[in-house]
Amino acid sequence: MRRSFKKTVKVTWFAYPHKSPPQSGYYLVTRPHPFKDTQVEVLQWSLTSKCFFNGMSKRTNILAWAKLPEPFTTAA
């Protein structure tokens, strides 16, 4: 029996800085990339600092953010 683990997830993007994440945590972000148009990465949002971080370094040039999708789980 073959199983398919492919799942399509719709992501709702919010323009940044017009709308900021509602709470601290990890989010998908879209940023410009020096060798291609854009890149998507996971960054941490700090509600108290009102900025995105990767470790201790602050990230700039954020174009948009989105909530992380639910992680994949196998059905029993």
Side-chain angles (χ1 to χ4, degrees), residues 10-56:
K10 293 206 180 237
V11 175
T12 303
W13 292 97
F14 300 96
Y16 181 82
H18 301 295
K19 183 167 181 163
S20 298
Q23 60 190 25
S24 295
Y26 289 92
Y27 294 89
L28 289 175
V29 298
T30 303
R31 297 180 56 224
H33 188 275
F35 304 114
K36 53 185 176 180
D37 291 335
T38 57
Q39 69 181 8
V40 175
E41 61 182 313
V42 177
L43 294 179
Q44 185 175 12
W45 169 256
S46 170
L47 190 59
T48 56
S49 300
K50 302 262 190 229
C51 59
F52 285 98
F53 287 92
N54 183 12
M56 295 297 288

Side-chain angles (χ1 to χ4, degrees), residues 1-5 75-76:
M1 177 175 169
R2 274 184 103 172
R3 283 188 179 174
S4 174
F5 294 108

